[in-house]
Amino acid sequence: MAALVTAIDKQNEREPDRRVVFLNYSADDPALTNASCSFWHFRFDAHAGMRMDALADALKRDQSGACIC
């Protein structure tokens, strides 16, 4: 995915009249919106780190001891 984002950045620099936007539904790599952030890349879904943080928060708040799996 990172190679595709880089290619889109280069394409949009070379041809500003024919710009491309990458609408990415399932990007799990946090680098695509952190270190390798691109204006032309939009992620619809949370990356793996966000999902793990949400799961850990839910488990911490769950006082019943039941598994939410």
Side-chain angles (χ1 to χ4, degrees), residues 32-45:
L32 292 176
T33 52
N34 291 336
S36 300
C37 183
S38 169
F39 179 80
W40 305 107
H41 174 246
F42 182 81
R43 177 185 18 223
F44 285 96
D45 200 7

Side-chain angles (χ1 to χ4, degrees), residues 14-51:
R14 283 191 304 264
E15 298 192 46
D17 293 335
R18 298 178 58 192
R19 292 185 178 138
V20 175
V21 175
F22 181 21
L23 303 176
N24 190 352
Y25 175 72
S26 62
D28 283 334
D29 185 4
L32 292 176
T33 52
N34 291 336
S36 300
C37 183
S38 169
F39 179 80
W40 305 107
H41 174 246
F42 182 81
R43 177 185 18 223
F44 285 96
D45 200 7
H47 64 67
M50 292 172 160
R51 291 180 192 163

